[in-house]
């Protein structure tokens, strides 16, 4: 099992890392694309994972042409996602245990997400996780979203720590690039997207679950 270097705080990505929402969003993306007269593919969808609003717009226009109605697509995806998540937002396996242990050990936690603030705060609140985090950095807080390191740098600054003192946990290629570029110790826990050789080289470790990460981070029980 991989061992992690000591860390003073943890910064989490949100969708696909804390929240088990990527498969739900995948279904919505397929349905909305079909309704608009376009055929979604696995390659196009996977390139959207972890991407900002702007990056997603650019890649869909590149894939389908300038006539792709991105504003309509985005609005309908958001509407359907909001409806699906209104009553319950599923969390990834191992989230309650890992967050609980971090809190017991008094290790501060933050979120750095490419999602807009209403989406992030709404979903984390519905999932019952909102109060676990000292700060939440959303797309609305930064000029440059992932894969730029700005979200992670801002999270560290809000925590009052140097990036090198933080552990970043990500599920996407763009997210790993952002976290690694910030100087944080980075662990990838893949969800829908598997790491490339390039991304794997940016990680301290690639782990199969948050349970595995918790075991690697904490070799001894809380006193």
């Amino acid at each position: 099992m991989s061992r992690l270097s000591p860390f003073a705080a943890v910064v989490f990505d949100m969708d696909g890392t804390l929240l088990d929402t990527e498969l739900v969003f995948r279904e919505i993306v397929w349905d909305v694309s079909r309704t608009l007269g376009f055929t979604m593919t696995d390659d196009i969808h996977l390139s959207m994972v972890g991407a900002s609003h702007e990056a997603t717009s650019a890649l869909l226009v590149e894939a389908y042409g300038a006539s792709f109605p991105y504003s309509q697509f985005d609005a309908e995806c958001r509407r359907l996602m909001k409806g699906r998540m209104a009553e319950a937002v599923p969390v990834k396996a191992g989230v309650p245990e890992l967050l609980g242990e971090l809190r017991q050990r008094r290790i501060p936690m933050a979120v750095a997400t490419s999602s807009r603030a209403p989406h992030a705060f709404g979903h984390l609140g519905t999932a019952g996780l909102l109060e676990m985090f000292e700060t939440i950095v959303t797309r609305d807080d930064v000029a440059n979203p992932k894969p730029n390191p700005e979200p992670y740098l801002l999270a560290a600054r809000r925590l009052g720590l140097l990036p090198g003192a933080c552990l970043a946990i990500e599920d996407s290629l763009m997210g790993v690039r952002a976290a690694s570029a910030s100087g944080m110790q980075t662990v990838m826990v893949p969800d829908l997207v598997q790491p490339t050789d390039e991304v794997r080289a940016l990680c301290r470790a690639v782990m199969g679950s948050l349970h595995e990460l918790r075991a690697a981070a904490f070799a001894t029980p809380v006193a």
Side-chain angles (χ1 to χ4, degrees):
M1 180 184 296
S2 299
R3 290 292 180 196
L4 303 179
S5 297
F7 52 88
V10 180
V11 185
F12 293 88
D13 172 54
M14 189 178 74
D15 290 300
T17 300
L18 290 168
L19 306 182
D20 199 6
T21 48
E22 293 290 12
L23 280 176
V24 175
F25 190 64
R26 181 187 187 279
E27 293 176 9
I28 289 172
V29 163
W30 246 258
D31 290 344
V32 173
S33 299
R34 189 180 307 111
T35 299
L36 294 175
F38 296 86
T39 301
M40 181 55 59
T41 69
D42 284 326
D43 286 345
I44 294 172
H45 167 250
L46 290 176
S47 68
M48 294 167 58
V49 174
S52 66
H53 172 86
E54 296 86 350
T56 300
S57 174
L59 71 88
L60 289 175
V61 168
E62 181 181 356
Y64 296 113
S67 64
F68 185 83
Y70 179 74
S71 294
Q72 185 180 354
F73 169 85
D74 181 59
E76 185 63 4
C77 286
R78 290 176 185 273
R79 184 185 72 81
L80 292 173
M81 193 69 174
K82 184 177 180 180
R84 291 282 292 273
M85 299 289 111
E87 295 184 4
V89 176
V91 301
K92 295 290 289 183
V95 165
E97 295 86 351
L98 178 56
L99 298 192
E101 177 139 11
L102 289 167
R103 172 166 277 189
Q104 256 190 305
R105 292 174 181 268
R106 297 180 181 173
I107 296 173
M109 295 172 272
V111 171
T113 177
S114 294
S115 295
R116 299 284 185 180
H119 173 103
F121 282 87
H123 285 193
L124 288 169
T126 302
L129 302 180
L130 191 59
E131 300 305 317
M132 299 294 286
F133 301 101
E134 275 67 28
T135 188
I136 296 167
V137 176
T138 74
R139 176 62 187 90
D140 299 315
D141 296 312
V142 297
N144 303 293
K146 302 173 188 179
N148 190 283
E150 185 180 350
Y152 280 100
L153 293 172
L154 178 56
R157 191 158 64 248
R158 287 182 176 179
L159 291 169
L161 294 167
L162 293 173
C166 301
L167 172 66
I169 305 175
E170 272 284 354
D171 75 295
S172 73
L173 308 185
M174 286 194 183
V176 167
R177 292 182 183 115
S180 176
S182 77
M184 292 190 186
Q185 179 180 196
T186 304
V187 172
M188 184 178 185
V189 182
D191 184 33
L192 299 184
V193 180
Q194 294 302 309
T196 61
D197 289 342
E198 170 249 336
V199 164
R200 189 178 290 274
L202 298 175
C203 297
R204 176 59 183 259
V206 176
M207 298 187 180
S209 71
L210 294 178
H211 290 300
E212 182 182 342
L213 187 148
R214 180 182 170 216
F218 305 118
T220 58
V222 180

